[in-house]
């Protein structure tokens, strides 16, 4: 029996996935979580073979959760399932230790096959998405711009970011302005979101 944990902040999606997977004779959904920060504790209580993680969740996203599970629960294999088919997410998922990546509009049979494949030790990679990830333009942001943009993503004030990176407020504003220009966005929040989707931060 393949034991599966599902983490998705949308209750209907979680329920539908659980109902779908529980129809399979060799798959059992043992736990459901509404956010990534609940996953480790749930696995301690109800061990699973595979964690099926959504990318975007309010408190802790699936990519960060995957990276944490690699350290805290190395025996659990991660399959990322997302609505957002972004090249950056694909790349970050495998860098975080995921074993597979699917979008939510994949046919149910493809999801079931992916779970079985990951359970058997396969990497589930859609060739088209893998090629798209390779073709994405290289990161134009400097190391300092990446660092500052990552901090800006949470909406932290410029003064707080400046204190964290030990730079003046004016210098931080300059770095943010450069990052906004390089991402062709309107503000630092949009720049951070775009950079994350591209896998630059």
């Amino acid at each position: 029996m393949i034991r599966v944990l599902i983490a998705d902040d949308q209750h209907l999606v979680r329920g539908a996935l659980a109902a779908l997977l529980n129809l399979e004779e060799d798959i059992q959904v043992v736990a459901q979580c509404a956010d990534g920060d609940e996953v480790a504790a749930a696995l301690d209580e109800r061990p699973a073979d595979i964690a099926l993680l959504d990318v975007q969740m309010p408190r802790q996203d699936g990519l960060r959760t995957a990276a944490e599970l690699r350290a805290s629960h190395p025996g659990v294999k991660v399959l990322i399932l997302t609505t957002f088919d972004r090249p950056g997410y694909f790349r970050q998922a495998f860098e975080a230790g995921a074993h597979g990546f699917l979008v939510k509009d994949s046919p149910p049979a493809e999801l079931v096959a992916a779970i079985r494949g990951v359970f058997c030790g396969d990497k589930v990679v859609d060739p088209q998405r893998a090629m798209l990830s390779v073709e994405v333009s290289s990161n134009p942001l400097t190391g300092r711009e990446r660092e500052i943009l990552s901090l800006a993503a949470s909406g932290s004030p410029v003064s707080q970011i400046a204190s964290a990176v030990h730079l003046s407020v004016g210098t931080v504003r300059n770095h943010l302005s450069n990052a906004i220009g390089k991402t062709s966005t309107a503000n630092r929040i949009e720049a951070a979101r775009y950079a994350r989707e591209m896998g630059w931060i």
Side-chain angles (χ1 to χ4, degrees), residues 7 11 15 38 53 66 81 92 108 111 124 127 133-134 145 149 153-154 158 166 169 171 182 185 192 194-195:
H11 181 77
E38 301 173 6
L53 308 178
L81 188 64
Q92 290 176 72
L111 172 60
V124 177
S133 177
V134 170
E145 287 165 357
L149 208 52
S154 64
V158 172
H166 308 292
V169 168
T171 301
K182 289 177 179 179
T185 52
Y194 180 83

Side-chain angles (χ1 to χ4, degrees), residues 2 37 60 74 103 105 133 200:
I2 304 171
D37 60 359
Q60 181 169 299
V103 290
D105 64 357
S133 177
W200 294 343

Side-chain angles (χ1 to χ4, degrees), residues 118-198:
V118 166
F119 180 74
C120 292
D122 297 337
K123 289 273 189 184
V124 177
V125 180
D126 181 316
Q128 185 176 357
R129 291 187 183 98
M131 184 57 66
L132 181 60
S133 177
V134 170
E135 290 172 353
V136 169
S137 60
S138 59
N139 190 342
L141 303 173
T142 66
R144 186 62 92 173
E145 287 165 357
R146 290 196 301 271
E147 179 185 17
I148 290 171
L149 208 52
S150 294
L151 293 170
S154 64
S156 300
V158 172
S159 58
Q160 188 176 327
I161 296 171
S163 176
V165 297
H166 308 292
L167 293 174
S168 70
V169 168
T171 301
V172 168
R173 287 190 193 280
N174 287 339
H175 283 302
L176 287 171
S177 178
N178 289 339
I180 290 167
K182 289 177 179 179
T183 55
S184 300
T185 52
N187 55 56
R188 58 195 176 114
I189 300 299
E190 286 184 15
R193 184 183 301 119
Y194 180 83
R196 181 165 288 134
E197 290 176 355
M198 294 301 288

Side-chain angles (χ1 to χ4, degrees), residues 1-133:
M1 185 66 69
I2 304 171
R3 299 166 300 173
V4 176
L5 172 145
I6 299 172
D8 193 301
D9 60 309
Q10 296 181 352
H11 181 77
L12 284 175
V13 172
R14 279 199 321 275
L17 285 171
L20 171 72
L21 296 176
N22 281 331
L23 291 174
E24 302 297 322
E25 292 183 358
D26 58 339
I27 298 175
Q28 179 186 12
V29 175
V30 296
Q32 297 182 45
C33 301
D35 214 301
D37 60 359
E38 301 173 6
V39 171
L43 287 171
D44 288 339
E45 236 179 86
R46 298 174 184 168
D49 303 297
I50 293 175
L52 187 61
L53 308 178
D54 184 27
V55 169
Q56 292 197 340
M57 292 182 278
R59 295 188 301 273
Q60 181 169 299
D61 65 39
L63 301 174
R64 182 176 162 197
T65 303
E68 290 187 357
L69 292 183
R70 183 167 54 180
S72 65
H73 296 79
V76 178
K77 295 175 180 175
V78 171
L79 180 57
I80 295 291
L81 188 64
T82 181
T83 304
F84 305 95
D85 190 6
R86 307 279 198 244
Y89 288 162
F90 180 90
R91 184 183 304 146
Q92 290 176 72
F94 286 98
E95 287 175 354
H99 295 78
F101 184 98
L102 290 176
V103 290
K104 287 182 179 176
D105 64 357
S106 300
E110 189 174 327
L111 172 60
V112 171
I115 288 172
R116 290 178 179 139
V118 166
F119 180 74
C120 292
D122 297 337
K123 289 273 189 184
V124 177
V125 180
D126 181 316
Q128 185 176 357
R129 291 187 183 98
M131 184 57 66
L132 181 60
S133 177

